[in-house]
Amino acid sequence: MRIDVSDLSFSFGVSRVLKNVSFTVGDGEFLGLMGPNGSGKTTLLRCLTRYLPADPKAVFVDMKPLHTLSDRQLATTFAVVPQSSSTDFPFTVREIVTMGRIPHAHSRILGSRAGDARLVSAAMVASGCDFLADRHFSELSGGERQRVVIARALAQEPKALLLDEPTVYLDISGQLEIMDLVKKLNKERSLTIVAVLHDINLAARYCDRIALLHQGRLEAIGPPSDVLTPETIQSVYGVDVAVRKDPFTHGIYVMPRSITTSARKNGARVHVLCGGGSGGPILRQLVEHGFSLSSGVLNVLDSDYECAVDLHIPVVAEVPFSQISDETNRGNLSMIDDSRAVVVSRFPVGPGNFKNLEAARYALDNGKKVFVISGLDLPSVDFIGGRADACLRGLINAGAVEVSSVDELTRQLGVELEALK
Amino acid sequence: MALESGQSDVEPAKGSRFAFFRRNPLLFIVLLFLFLLVSTFLAVLVGTLGPIGPGEPEKISLSDAMYAILKLDGDYPAYYTAVFWDVRIPRVLLAGLVGAALACAGTAMQAIFRNPMADPFIIGVSSGAAVGAVSAGLIGLTTVVGAFTAPMLAFVSALVTVLVVYKMGTVRGKVYVDTLLLSGVAIAAFLGAIVSFLIFFARDDYHQLIPWLLGSFAVAKWSYVWILVLPVCFGVCLVFLFGRELNALLLGEETAHNLGADPEFLKKLMLTTAALVTAGAVAFTGIIGFVGLIVPHMMRILVGADHRALVPASILFGASFLIWADAISRTIIPGQELPVGIITALCGGPFFLYLLRRSRTSGSMS
């Protein structure tokens, strides 16, 4: 079934909750509705179900204006699965699912229509709750209840399923079970789905398209990979994220990094000399604590390089598997010149990147504060016969500060940069 | 969670002792109907004169009673026919009608308020009616203008009270049940104070008011039966016909809407129906408590929460329950009539406590 929303606005009193929202949901499509709390997702859903009185010319189902449908036609068009359902009354699962037949009832006096019982059983089988049929609804777990409510929705024989954060109270396996079930119904019955979802990764994994609402406006709509970019998420949620491709599902997934945008501490920068994966944790933690960073010299395929790029840290890079060239080294040294402090991580040192240690010496000689992550007592990562260890010891003797952990480094750097004020 | 689901796989549904009736609600309703017929018949035989009862000053034999009830010619005193046809039969029928009305209104109110503690008086019917009835009694209108004045005044003041409570709980045409409930409590307290005030000044006339305040069928007349029968039948049928929608409403107003049942219409229809039948019932017989609260509960334990079965079961059992309560009230103390409200509360109070404990220990209210 096709749903057209054109120029839909809605206000609670004076506060405008939806502002000129327009979009289309295609037949058999799985659309995710996303957005921060209070962005109007649930209101939009309630305008579709007419629970809230929207502008009659704003919503069309299969080209028919929503207000021309009777209550019962509406209930056979949309079935709704809320966040959670509960009742103080001792309904059995079968009774709850049978309620889905209310809009199909022909007569008030006669009981159910012929075939209702069969349809109800089929709906319970389809959503995997038939074994619960004679249990009391109130004694089921959250996941079981959602299955029952989905069965009730199926018993309505709707053309579209509207879900309002159906997995919000479920544990991770429950979330996946319910979403798999919804996806299956979407595929096998080409049931149109509109689901309000909070979990970005769940949405990215299951939705054909995502509509992103922000302060009542439709900010973006499209396939997950188009909508869920670091830029849109930053602008809508105010959260810094990294977006990755999942090597197994080829879907995308989103990792939050920090909600604090880096407070440049007096504009003073810290240069991190790292490599071989040793720098990632340092870079991440320092960014989270608001330090302005640069990094070098890193080979392009190094995981530290990817980490630095992800974090939008300026990085002096060298082509993969190559020695540090003189030109790159000059770039690195000029970065050090612009920095207030230099951090030397415990990276594996070989002939190719020995220049990074020499750069640390250069920094010390030029009056920069140098921090060395300790670990000389750990198994050596020196691949050039002791020269690297000797160089590190030399640094410490010449005044470099040895720190035992990233936490201590963060603390000491904080003190150092504070002293600048 | 594993533990939880593991547990619930083994443990059968609560109330499975009565699972037979839950699976065969129609059979249960037929049994209740037969029970009502038998109760009606037996209750007609109950009385001070017997055949069931103390038999003071004389005891009617069973065969005489049958002859009198069937109005056959026979060797029995002529006033026996009057005992049955002018006193007992209208009284039993009135008790049945009022029981059905209260139980049905209670079921509807519990559905509307989505609260197992709701009863037919929750929106101020009883306190409103009390003000009307007590005023009428004190001014002495009963004797001056006729027997129907007090019930009329009680009925009207009950409806005015309900209207005020309803207005308090309604904002721009939308009924807010939580506000409605609180307004009902507040207005009931206010009117209760007025009734107490009137009683305080009634002094010696106070005793005349007791049967009404505690509910009594002693006043039963055929005319009362004829006035009540149509509205009560109409009301209970209406509640029954909207049983499916009431089911949906118990899951919340939004869910009801999404299932094609208009919650606003449903709330207004049910509140009006329940208020009218309750006001009609209490206007004649006074405030009979607990029937509207506990009968739906008992039936829910037996047939479950589905209103398609619950409403007819409550109506039939409510009628039987009040018929028996009345039969007890007029014979338990020889030569004296207890107000029936005392009997219902005596049975209802302990049962209600039992329910409360049950809901505390099992987690779900039945």
mmCIF file of all heavy atoms in Angstrom, chain A residues 46 49 51 80 88 90 92 102-103 107-111 134-136 141 152 156 171, chain B residues 1 4 8 13-14 22 241-242 244-245 250-251 254-255 257-260 300 305 308 365:
data_model
loop_
_atom_site.group_PDB
_atom_site.id
_atom_site.type_symbol
_atom_site.label_atom_id
_atom_site.label_comp_id
_atom_site.label_asym_id
_atom_site.label_seq_id
_atom_site.Cartn_x
_atom_site.Cartn_y
_atom_site.Cartn_z
ATOM 1 N N ARG A 46 0.779 9.074 14.774
ATOM 2 C CA ARG A 46 -0.605 9.257 15.238
ATOM 3 C C ARG A 46 -1.432 10.048 14.238
ATOM 4 O O ARG A 46 -2.659 9.914 14.219
ATOM 5 C CB ARG A 46 -0.608 9.953 16.601
ATOM 6 C CG ARG A 46 -0.187 9.013 17.699
ATOM 7 C CD ARG A 46 -0.152 9.678 19.040
ATOM 8 N NE ARG A 46 0.105 8.678 20.076
ATOM 9 C CZ ARG A 46 0.424 8.967 21.323
ATOM 10 N NH1 ARG A 46 0.535 10.228 21.695
ATOM 11 N NH2 ARG A 46 0.635 8.013 22.200
ATOM 12 N N THR A 49 -2.590 7.386 11.837
ATOM 13 C CA THR A 49 -3.677 6.544 12.339
ATOM 14 C C THR A 49 -4.900 7.376 12.703
ATOM 15 O O THR A 49 -5.886 6.836 13.181
ATOM 16 C CB THR A 49 -3.255 5.784 13.605
ATOM 17 O OG1 THR A 49 -2.963 6.737 14.637
ATOM 18 C CG2 THR A 49 -2.043 4.930 13.359
ATOM 19 N N TYR A 51 -5.328 9.170 15.124
ATOM 20 C CA TYR A 51 -5.545 9.326 16.560
ATOM 21 C C TYR A 51 -5.428 10.802 16.913
ATOM 22 O O TYR A 51 -6.059 11.288 17.826
ATOM 23 C CB TYR A 51 -4.533 8.494 17.359
ATOM 24 C CG TYR A 51 -4.816 8.453 18.840
ATOM 25 C CD1 TYR A 51 -5.989 7.885 19.317
ATOM 26 C CD2 TYR A 51 -3.927 8.998 19.765
ATOM 27 C CE1 TYR A 51 -6.271 7.861 20.669
ATOM 28 C CE2 TYR A 51 -4.201 8.974 21.123
ATOM 29 C CZ TYR A 51 -5.380 8.397 21.561
ATOM 30 O OH TYR A 51 -5.654 8.374 22.912
ATOM 31 N N VAL A 80 -1.343 -1.099 14.308
ATOM 32 C CA VAL A 80 -0.309 -0.406 15.063
ATOM 33 C C VAL A 80 0.278 -1.309 16.147
ATOM 34 O O VAL A 80 -0.448 -2.002 16.850
ATOM 35 C CB VAL A 80 -0.875 0.872 15.721
ATOM 36 C CG1 VAL A 80 0.215 1.628 16.454
ATOM 37 C CG2 VAL A 80 -1.518 1.750 14.670
ATOM 38 N N ASP A 88 -4.454 -4.677 33.220
ATOM 39 C CA ASP A 88 -4.666 -5.247 34.549
ATOM 40 C C ASP A 88 -5.670 -6.386 34.503
ATOM 41 O O ASP A 88 -5.939 -7.009 35.518
ATOM 42 C CB ASP A 88 -5.223 -4.168 35.495
ATOM 43 C CG ASP A 88 -4.150 -3.190 35.904
ATOM 44 O OD1 ASP A 88 -2.973 -3.557 35.805
ATOM 45 O OD2 ASP A 88 -4.489 -2.069 36.325
ATOM 46 N N PRO A 90 -7.485 -10.009 33.134
ATOM 47 C CA PRO A 90 -6.931 -11.335 32.811
ATOM 48 C C PRO A 90 -7.295 -11.821 31.408
ATOM 49 O O PRO A 90 -7.961 -12.834 31.258
ATOM 50 C CB PRO A 90 -7.550 -12.223 33.889
ATOM 51 C CG PRO A 90 -8.854 -11.582 34.198
ATOM 52 C CD PRO A 90 -8.640 -10.107 34.052
ATOM 53 N N THR A 92 -6.547 -13.669 27.943
ATOM 54 C CA THR A 92 -5.595 -14.643 27.423
ATOM 55 C C THR A 92 -5.028 -14.111 26.118
ATOM 56 O O THR A 92 -5.567 -13.172 25.523
ATOM 57 C CB THR A 92 -6.267 -15.996 27.140
ATOM 58 O OG1 THR A 92 -7.260 -15.791 26.139
ATOM 59 C CG2 THR A 92 -6.917 -16.574 28.377
ATOM 60 N N ILE A 102 -11.930 -7.101 15.444
ATOM 61 C CA ILE A 102 -13.013 -6.147 15.705
ATOM 62 C C ILE A 102 -13.408 -5.365 14.449
ATOM 63 O O ILE A 102 -14.586 -5.289 14.118
ATOM 64 C CB ILE A 102 -12.631 -5.185 16.861
ATOM 65 C CG1 ILE A 102 -12.576 -5.953 18.174
ATOM 66 C CG2 ILE A 102 -13.649 -4.043 16.975
ATOM 67 C CD1 ILE A 102 -12.093 -5.127 19.356
ATOM 68 N N PRO A 103 -12.444 -4.809 13.710
ATOM 69 C CA PRO A 103 -12.868 -4.026 12.541
ATOM 70 C C PRO A 103 -13.510 -4.878 11.441
ATOM 71 O O PRO A 103 -14.119 -4.322 10.529
ATOM 72 C CB PRO A 103 -11.563 -3.378 12.051
ATOM 73 C CG PRO A 103 -10.479 -4.178 12.656
ATOM 74 C CD PRO A 103 -10.999 -4.690 13.952
ATOM 75 N N SER A 107 -21.575 -8.218 12.662
ATOM 76 C CA SER A 107 -22.768 -7.994 13.456
ATOM 77 C C SER A 107 -22.381 -7.921 14.914
ATOM 78 O O SER A 107 -21.458 -8.600 15.361
ATOM 79 C CB SER A 107 -23.761 -9.126 13.209
ATOM 80 O OG SER A 107 -24.207 -9.656 14.418
ATOM 81 N N ARG A 108 -23.083 -7.065 15.642
ATOM 82 C CA ARG A 108 -22.793 -6.947 17.066
ATOM 83 C C ARG A 108 -23.371 -8.132 17.843
ATOM 84 O O ARG A 108 -22.832 -8.525 18.858
ATOM 85 C CB ARG A 108 -23.412 -5.667 17.619
ATOM 86 C CG ARG A 108 -22.790 -4.437 17.058
ATOM 87 C CD ARG A 108 -23.171 -3.224 17.875
ATOM 88 N NE ARG A 108 -22.370 -2.099 17.430
ATOM 89 C CZ ARG A 108 -21.120 -1.911 17.810
ATOM 90 N NH1 ARG A 108 -20.576 -2.721 18.674
ATOM 91 N NH2 ARG A 108 -20.434 -0.906 17.347
ATOM 92 N N ILE A 109 -24.506 -8.641 17.371
ATOM 93 C CA ILE A 109 -25.200 -9.659 18.157
ATOM 94 C C ILE A 109 -24.504 -11.005 18.024
ATOM 95 O O ILE A 109 -24.160 -11.646 19.009
ATOM 96 C CB ILE A 109 -26.667 -9.775 17.713
ATOM 97 C CG1 ILE A 109 -27.375 -8.444 17.997
ATOM 98 C CG2 ILE A 109 -27.363 -10.904 18.461
ATOM 99 C CD1 ILE A 109 -28.690 -8.287 17.342
ATOM 100 N N LEU A 110 -24.248 -11.406 16.776
ATOM 101 C CA LEU A 110 -23.545 -12.676 16.595
ATOM 102 C C LEU A 110 -22.101 -12.486 17.021
ATOM 103 O O LEU A 110 -21.579 -11.386 16.993
ATOM 104 C CB LEU A 110 -23.602 -13.098 15.132
ATOM 105 C CG LEU A 110 -25.019 -13.352 14.640
ATOM 106 C CD1 LEU A 110 -25.010 -13.603 13.149
ATOM 107 C CD2 LEU A 110 -25.603 -14.547 15.374
ATOM 108 N N GLY A 111 -21.502 -13.555 17.412
ATOM 109 C CA GLY A 111 -20.122 -13.472 17.853
ATOM 110 C C GLY A 111 -19.190 -13.196 16.693
ATOM 111 O O GLY A 111 -19.433 -12.315 15.877
ATOM 112 N N ASP A 134 -3.130 -19.887 25.323
ATOM 113 C CA ASP A 134 -4.024 -19.940 26.480
ATOM 114 C C ASP A 134 -3.415 -19.317 27.729
ATOM 115 O O ASP A 134 -3.984 -19.399 28.810
ATOM 116 C CB ASP A 134 -4.446 -21.387 26.751
ATOM 117 C CG ASP A 134 -5.302 -21.920 25.620
ATOM 118 O OD1 ASP A 134 -6.183 -21.162 25.169
ATOM 119 O OD2 ASP A 134 -5.069 -23.051 25.168
ATOM 120 N N ARG A 135 -2.261 -18.700 27.551
ATOM 121 C CA ARG A 135 -1.632 -18.041 28.706
ATOM 122 C C ARG A 135 -2.241 -16.664 28.910
ATOM 123 O O ARG A 135 -2.826 -16.078 28.005
ATOM 124 C CB ARG A 135 -0.131 -17.911 28.452
ATOM 125 C CG ARG A 135 0.601 -19.240 28.420
ATOM 126 C CD ARG A 135 1.213 -19.569 29.764
ATOM 127 N NE ARG A 135 2.118 -18.505 30.185
ATOM 128 C CZ ARG A 135 3.365 -18.405 29.748
ATOM 129 N NH1 ARG A 135 3.862 -19.296 28.931
ATOM 130 N NH2 ARG A 135 4.136 -17.416 30.155
ATOM 131 N N HIS A 136 -2.075 -16.146 30.116
ATOM 132 C CA HIS A 136 -2.533 -14.782 30.370
ATOM 133 C C HIS A 136 -1.530 -13.797 29.801
ATOM 134 O O HIS A 136 -0.326 -13.935 30.014
ATOM 135 C CB HIS A 136 -2.701 -14.549 31.871
ATOM 136 C CG HIS A 136 -3.987 -15.088 32.398
ATOM 137 N ND1 HIS A 136 -4.325 -15.076 33.711
ATOM 138 C CD2 HIS A 136 -5.030 -15.646 31.758
ATOM 139 C CE1 HIS A 136 -5.514 -15.609 33.880
ATOM 140 N NE2 HIS A 136 -5.960 -15.971 32.700
ATOM 141 N N SER A 141 6.591 -12.165 29.034
ATOM 142 C CA SER A 141 7.734 -11.255 29.017
ATOM 143 C C SER A 141 7.511 -10.201 27.929
ATOM 144 O O SER A 141 6.629 -10.330 27.088
ATOM 145 C CB SER A 141 9.011 -12.033 28.727
ATOM 146 O OG SER A 141 9.021 -12.431 27.376
ATOM 147 N N ARG A 152 -1.873 -9.757 16.814
ATOM 148 C CA ARG A 152 -3.141 -9.024 16.775
ATOM 149 C C ARG A 152 -3.178 -8.103 15.555
ATOM 150 O O ARG A 152 -4.190 -8.014 14.857
ATOM 151 C CB ARG A 152 -3.302 -8.195 18.049
ATOM 152 C CG ARG A 152 -4.654 -7.505 18.136
ATOM 153 C CD ARG A 152 -4.742 -6.613 19.338
ATOM 154 N NE ARG A 152 -3.859 -5.473 19.209
ATOM 155 C CZ ARG A 152 -3.381 -4.778 20.233
ATOM 156 N NH1 ARG A 152 -3.687 -5.109 21.455
ATOM 157 N NH2 ARG A 152 -2.574 -3.760 20.036
ATOM 158 N N GLN A 156 -5.739 -8.154 12.085
ATOM 159 C CA GLN A 156 -6.489 -7.043 11.500
ATOM 160 C C GLN A 156 -6.452 -7.088 9.981
ATOM 161 O O GLN A 156 -7.151 -6.322 9.334
ATOM 162 C CB GLN A 156 -5.898 -5.698 11.964
ATOM 163 C CG GLN A 156 -6.313 -5.301 13.358
ATOM 164 C CD GLN A 156 -5.592 -4.033 13.827
ATOM 165 O OE1 GLN A 156 -4.643 -4.107 14.588
ATOM 166 N NE2 GLN A 156 -6.047 -2.875 13.368
ATOM 167 N N ASP A 171 15.569 -6.787 25.339
ATOM 168 C CA ASP A 171 17.010 -7.002 25.321
ATOM 169 C C ASP A 171 17.458 -7.256 23.891
ATOM 170 O O ASP A 171 16.647 -7.330 22.969
ATOM 171 C CB ASP A 171 17.406 -8.148 26.263
ATOM 172 C CG ASP A 171 16.793 -9.465 25.827
ATOM 173 O OD1 ASP A 171 16.426 -9.600 24.644
ATOM 174 O OD2 ASP A 171 16.673 -10.362 26.677
ATOM 175 N N MET B 1 15.739 -13.603 32.337
ATOM 176 C CA MET B 1 14.666 -13.793 31.380
ATOM 177 C C MET B 1 14.465 -15.272 31.070
ATOM 178 O O MET B 1 13.354 -15.740 30.914
ATOM 179 C CB MET B 1 15.006 -13.052 30.082
ATOM 180 C CG MET B 1 13.737 -12.713 29.289
ATOM 181 S SD MET B 1 14.139 -12.071 27.695
ATOM 182 C CE MET B 1 13.406 -13.292 26.642
ATOM 183 N N GLU B 4 12.492 -16.685 33.723
ATOM 184 C CA GLU B 4 11.098 -16.256 33.645
ATOM 185 C C GLU B 4 10.322 -17.098 32.627
ATOM 186 O O GLU B 4 9.285 -17.658 32.936
ATOM 187 C CB GLU B 4 11.076 -14.796 33.212
ATOM 188 C CG GLU B 4 9.786 -14.101 33.513
ATOM 189 C CD GLU B 4 9.884 -12.655 33.091
ATOM 190 O OE1 GLU B 4 9.925 -12.408 31.882
ATOM 191 O OE2 GLU B 4 9.941 -11.794 33.965
ATOM 192 N N SER B 8 7.330 -19.888 33.113
ATOM 193 C CA SER B 8 5.977 -19.736 32.600
ATOM 194 C C SER B 8 5.621 -20.854 31.625
ATOM 195 O O SER B 8 4.452 -21.070 31.347
ATOM 196 C CB SER B 8 5.806 -18.370 31.934
ATOM 197 O OG SER B 8 6.951 -18.034 31.210
ATOM 198 N N ALA B 13 -1.876 -21.256 33.012
ATOM 199 C CA ALA B 13 -2.480 -19.945 33.200
ATOM 200 C C ALA B 13 -3.201 -19.895 34.529
ATOM 201 O O ALA B 13 -3.792 -20.873 34.971
ATOM 202 C CB ALA B 13 -3.455 -19.656 32.073
ATOM 203 N N LYS B 14 -3.120 -18.724 35.160
ATOM 204 C CA LYS B 14 -3.816 -18.577 36.432
ATOM 205 C C LYS B 14 -5.315 -18.705 36.213
ATOM 206 O O LYS B 14 -5.849 -18.320 35.200
ATOM 207 C CB LYS B 14 -3.474 -17.222 37.043
ATOM 208 C CG LYS B 14 -2.073 -17.221 37.563
ATOM 209 C CD LYS B 14 -1.831 -16.039 38.452
ATOM 210 C CE LYS B 14 -0.382 -16.036 38.891
ATOM 211 N NZ LYS B 14 0.501 -15.704 37.768
ATOM 212 N N ARG B 22 -13.998 -21.128 30.959
ATOM 213 C CA ARG B 22 -13.410 -20.150 30.042
ATOM 214 C C ARG B 22 -13.448 -20.670 28.614
ATOM 215 O O ARG B 22 -13.565 -19.897 27.680
ATOM 216 C CB ARG B 22 -11.964 -19.861 30.436
ATOM 217 C CG ARG B 22 -11.846 -19.107 31.728
ATOM 218 C CD ARG B 22 -10.487 -18.516 31.881
ATOM 219 N NE ARG B 22 -10.274 -17.468 30.903
ATOM 220 C CZ ARG B 22 -9.525 -16.413 31.118
ATOM 221 N NH1 ARG B 22 -8.920 -16.271 32.256
ATOM 222 N NH2 ARG B 22 -9.356 -15.510 30.199
ATOM 223 N N LEU B 241 -23.709 -5.417 23.592
ATOM 224 C CA LEU B 241 -23.430 -5.270 22.162
ATOM 225 C C LEU B 241 -22.090 -4.584 21.907
ATOM 226 O O LEU B 241 -21.492 -4.755 20.857
ATOM 227 C CB LEU B 241 -24.555 -4.486 21.484
ATOM 228 C CG LEU B 241 -25.890 -5.227 21.428
ATOM 229 C CD1 LEU B 241 -26.941 -4.388 20.738
ATOM 230 C CD2 LEU B 241 -25.720 -6.551 20.688
ATOM 231 N N PHE B 242 -21.635 -3.784 22.873
ATOM 232 C CA PHE B 242 -20.344 -3.126 22.687
ATOM 233 C C PHE B 242 -19.226 -3.863 23.422
ATOM 234 O O PHE B 242 -18.171 -3.291 23.682
ATOM 235 C CB PHE B 242 -20.435 -1.663 23.128
ATOM 236 C CG PHE B 242 -21.110 -0.798 22.106
ATOM 237 C CD1 PHE B 242 -22.488 -0.665 22.093
ATOM 238 C CD2 PHE B 242 -20.372 -0.168 21.114
ATOM 239 C CE1 PHE B 242 -23.119 0.103 21.132
ATOM 240 C CE2 PHE B 242 -20.994 0.605 20.152
ATOM 241 C CZ PHE B 242 -22.373 0.744 20.159
ATOM 242 N N ARG B 244 -17.112 -6.208 22.495
ATOM 243 C CA ARG B 244 -15.830 -6.301 21.783
ATOM 244 C C ARG B 244 -15.041 -5.008 21.928
ATOM 245 O O ARG B 244 -13.835 -5.016 22.159
ATOM 246 C CB ARG B 244 -16.081 -6.571 20.305
ATOM 247 C CG ARG B 244 -15.901 -8.009 19.913
ATOM 248 C CD ARG B 244 -15.959 -8.123 18.415
ATOM 249 N NE ARG B 244 -17.309 -7.859 17.948
ATOM 250 C CZ ARG B 244 -18.118 -8.807 17.480
ATOM 251 N NH1 ARG B 244 -17.712 -10.033 17.409
ATOM 252 N NH2 ARG B 244 -19.318 -8.502 17.078
ATOM 253 N N GLU B 245 -15.745 -3.887 21.764
ATOM 254 C CA GLU B 245 -15.078 -2.590 21.863
ATOM 255 C C GLU B 245 -14.576 -2.342 23.284
ATOM 256 O O GLU B 245 -13.512 -1.758 23.472
ATOM 257 C CB GLU B 245 -16.034 -1.468 21.440
ATOM 258 C CG GLU B 245 -16.177 -1.308 19.934
ATOM 259 C CD GLU B 245 -17.251 -2.204 19.340
ATOM 260 O OE1 GLU B 245 -17.682 -3.154 20.032
ATOM 261 O OE2 GLU B 245 -17.655 -1.955 18.187
ATOM 262 N N LEU B 250 -9.865 -1.781 27.154
ATOM 263 C CA LEU B 250 -9.068 -2.169 28.317
ATOM 264 C C LEU B 250 -7.578 -2.154 28.009
ATOM 265 O O LEU B 250 -6.751 -2.171 28.905
ATOM 266 C CB LEU B 250 -9.476 -3.563 28.809
ATOM 267 C CG LEU B 250 -10.756 -3.584 29.628
ATOM 268 C CD1 LEU B 250 -11.077 -4.991 30.064
ATOM 269 C CD2 LEU B 250 -10.620 -2.689 30.844
ATOM 270 N N LEU B 251 -7.219 -2.137 26.723
ATOM 271 C CA LEU B 251 -5.798 -2.075 26.368
ATOM 272 C C LEU B 251 -5.356 -0.631 26.143
ATOM 273 O O LEU B 251 -4.257 -0.377 25.676
ATOM 274 C CB LEU B 251 -5.519 -2.894 25.110
ATOM 275 C CG LEU B 251 -5.781 -4.379 25.255
ATOM 276 C CD1 LEU B 251 -5.344 -5.093 23.993
ATOM 277 C CD2 LEU B 251 -5.046 -4.952 26.443
ATOM 278 N N GLU B 254 -5.745 4.509 22.850
ATOM 279 C CA GLU B 254 -5.122 4.566 21.531
ATOM 280 C C GLU B 254 -5.253 3.221 20.835
ATOM 281 O O GLU B 254 -5.544 3.150 19.643
ATOM 282 C CB GLU B 254 -3.655 4.981 21.641
ATOM 283 C CG GLU B 254 -3.058 5.246 20.272
ATOM 284 C CD GLU B 254 -1.715 5.940 20.326
ATOM 285 O OE1 GLU B 254 -1.229 6.221 21.435
ATOM 286 O OE2 GLU B 254 -1.155 6.188 19.245
ATOM 287 N N THR B 255 -5.033 2.137 21.587
ATOM 288 C CA THR B 255 -5.185 0.811 21.004
ATOM 289 C C THR B 255 -6.615 0.599 20.531
ATOM 290 O O THR B 255 -6.851 0.079 19.429
ATOM 291 C CB THR B 255 -4.791 -0.265 22.026
ATOM 292 O OG1 THR B 255 -3.431 -0.058 22.385
ATOM 293 C CG2 THR B 255 -4.955 -1.650 21.452
ATOM 294 N N HIS B 257 -8.705 2.838 19.552
ATOM 295 C CA HIS B 257 -8.852 3.608 18.310
ATOM 296 C C HIS B 257 -8.254 2.847 17.128
ATOM 297 O O HIS B 257 -8.854 2.732 16.067
ATOM 298 C CB HIS B 257 -8.163 4.965 18.464
ATOM 299 C CG HIS B 257 -8.017 5.713 17.180
ATOM 300 N ND1 HIS B 257 -9.018 6.495 16.656
ATOM 301 C CD2 HIS B 257 -7.001 5.753 16.283
ATOM 302 C CE1 HIS B 257 -8.619 7.005 15.503
ATOM 303 N NE2 HIS B 257 -7.394 6.567 15.256
ATOM 304 N N ASN B 258 -7.048 2.314 17.351
ATOM 305 C CA ASN B 258 -6.371 1.616 16.261
ATOM 306 C C ASN B 258 -7.051 0.315 15.863
ATOM 307 O O ASN B 258 -6.773 -0.241 14.807
ATOM 308 C CB ASN B 258 -4.912 1.337 16.637
ATOM 309 C CG ASN B 258 -4.115 2.619 16.751
ATOM 310 O OD1 ASN B 258 -4.446 3.614 16.116
ATOM 311 N ND2 ASN B 258 -3.076 2.600 17.566
ATOM 312 N N LEU B 259 -7.922 -0.195 16.747
ATOM 313 C CA LEU B 259 -8.658 -1.417 16.417
ATOM 314 C C LEU B 259 -10.039 -1.078 15.861
ATOM 315 O O LEU B 259 -10.886 -1.960 15.708
ATOM 316 C CB LEU B 259 -8.787 -2.308 17.647
ATOM 317 C CG LEU B 259 -7.472 -2.949 18.110
ATOM 318 C CD1 LEU B 259 -7.648 -3.632 19.452
ATOM 319 C CD2 LEU B 259 -6.964 -3.950 17.086
ATOM 320 N N GLY B 260 -10.280 0.180 15.591
ATOM 321 C CA GLY B 260 -11.528 0.564 14.944
ATOM 322 C C GLY B 260 -12.664 0.868 15.899
ATOM 323 O O GLY B 260 -13.810 1.009 15.485
ATOM 324 N N ARG B 300 -15.184 -12.559 36.267
ATOM 325 C CA ARG B 300 -13.924 -12.529 35.525
ATOM 326 C C ARG B 300 -13.053 -13.719 35.902
ATOM 327 O O ARG B 300 -12.359 -14.284 35.070
ATOM 328 C CB ARG B 300 -13.186 -11.227 35.804
ATOM 329 C CG ARG B 300 -12.941 -10.440 34.537
ATOM 330 C CD ARG B 300 -12.200 -9.160 34.814
ATOM 331 N NE ARG B 300 -13.031 -8.036 34.468
ATOM 332 C CZ ARG B 300 -13.459 -7.136 35.326
ATOM 333 N NH1 ARG B 300 -13.110 -7.212 36.592
ATOM 334 N NH2 ARG B 300 -14.202 -6.152 34.919
ATOM 335 N N ALA B 305 -11.878 -12.266 30.988
ATOM 336 C CA ALA B 305 -12.123 -10.827 30.874
ATOM 337 C C ALA B 305 -12.896 -10.440 29.614
ATOM 338 O O ALA B 305 -13.281 -9.295 29.468
ATOM 339 C CB ALA B 305 -10.787 -10.093 30.902
ATOM 340 N N ARG B 308 -17.704 -10.216 25.880
ATOM 341 C CA ARG B 308 -18.780 -10.929 25.192
ATOM 342 C C ARG B 308 -19.368 -12.008 26.114
ATOM 343 O O ARG B 308 -20.529 -12.347 26.010
ATOM 344 C CB ARG B 308 -18.253 -11.574 23.902
ATOM 345 C CG ARG B 308 -17.689 -10.596 22.917
ATOM 346 C CD ARG B 308 -18.749 -9.864 22.166
ATOM 347 N NE ARG B 308 -19.514 -10.752 21.295
ATOM 348 C CZ ARG B 308 -20.534 -10.356 20.561
ATOM 349 N NH1 ARG B 308 -20.922 -9.101 20.607
ATOM 350 N NH2 ARG B 308 -21.178 -11.203 19.790
ATOM 351 N N MET B 365 -4.742 -8.628 38.517
ATOM 352 C CA MET B 365 -6.051 -8.511 39.166
ATOM 353 C C MET B 365 -7.066 -9.296 38.357
ATOM 354 O O MET B 365 -7.171 -9.133 37.160
ATOM 355 C CB MET B 365 -6.444 -7.034 39.177
ATOM 356 C CG MET B 365 -7.589 -6.744 40.086
ATOM 357 S SD MET B 365 -7.116 -6.946 41.791
ATOM 358 C CE MET B 365 -8.698 -6.940 42.549
#
